[in-house]
Amino acid sequence: MSDFEPIETREQFEDEVSKRLERERESIEKRYEGFLSPDDVANKYKEYLSPDDEKKKYEGYLSPEEAAKKDAEIKRYETSAIKIKIAHEAGLPYELAERLSGENEKEMKKDAEMLKGLLGEKKKAPLRETEGNNKKNDAAYRSMLSEMKGE
């Protein structure tokens, strides 16, 4: 207690009080060093929307789940269109288009060729009857026409 010095003047008192206040201010600043002041918070978050304002602003937009569902549906349609195109190019019936498998167009084409080999060559219907009965049919049509004309 030998280092105690009595304060005798007002200036000494104010000096000691200001030192004490400065030490206290520094300890408070250290304690709240990472925190924002109310003004800083207002400036930082002034562009943010409240939950109610956000709902109003984005009303009618798709949610991420709905967008993912739509994307999956679009992908399914695109895959179906590719399968139909490949089946048509390979000469497969439309009904077999959805049976094609593969992750990409190249694999689907391979599958279509394999399926085409299993089914055999698709025979096209003749445009006109090629049997030997043509003359007989022609004669029948001619007689029917002559009866209609009244000859």
Side-chain angles (χ1 to χ4, degrees):
M1 297 229 178
S2 62
D3 54 339
F4 176 75
E5 295 177 21
I7 298 174
E8 295 174 356
T9 63
R10 184 174 184 95
E11 289 83 26
Q12 285 178 332
F13 175 74
E14 288 177 2
D15 188 42
E16 289 298 320
V17 168
S18 66
K19 287 179 187 177
R20 172 72 187 221
L21 287 174
E22 186 63 33
R23 282 194 315 258
E24 190 64 30
R25 192 173 297 122
E26 287 174 4
S27 70
I28 296 291
E29 285 176 0
K30 284 181 183 178
R31 180 190 277 174
Y32 296 107
E33 194 170 303
F35 292 88
L36 296 174
S37 70
D39 295 332
D40 292 340
V41 169
N43 287 337
K44 183 175 181 179
Y45 295 111
K46 70 180 177 184
E47 298 295 323
Y48 286 73
L49 299 174
S50 70
D52 294 333
D53 292 340
E54 185 180 5
K55 284 181 184 177
K56 287 177 187 174
K57 182 176 180 177
Y58 295 111
E59 187 175 332
Y61 284 75
L62 293 177
S63 70
E65 296 82 21
E66 292 170 328
K69 195 182 293 183
K70 296 263 186 204
D71 288 343
E73 189 174 345
I74 289 169
K75 176 130 175 76
R76 189 170 42 88
Y77 285 135
E78 289 173 347
T79 303
S80 178
I82 290 171
K83 286 179 178 182
I84 291 170
K85 180 184 125 201
I86 291 172
H88 178 71
E89 289 173 356
L92 294 173
Y94 174 77
E95 293 81 15
L96 292 177
E98 288 301 317
R99 303 246 183 232
L100 296 177
S101 62
E103 292 295 320
N104 55 36
E105 197 168 338
K106 185 178 179 182
E107 291 175 5
M108 287 182 206
K109 282 182 181 180
K110 267 184 171 177
D111 191 43
E113 291 301 320
M114 184 198 65
L115 197 56
K116 182 179 176 183
L118 289 174
L119 292 177
E121 199 60 36
K122 182 179 178 183
K123 296 182 181 176
K124 296 187 178 188
L127 297 176
R128 181 176 157 183
E129 189 175 321
T130 57
E131 301 296 319
N133 301 346
N134 285 345
K135 291 182 182 177
K136 195 180 208 182
N137 288 340
D138 286 348
Y141 286 128
R142 286 180 203 272
S143 68
M144 181 176 70
L145 271 172
S146 63
E147 288 175 15
M148 290 173 76
K149 285 183 180 178
E151 294 176 0

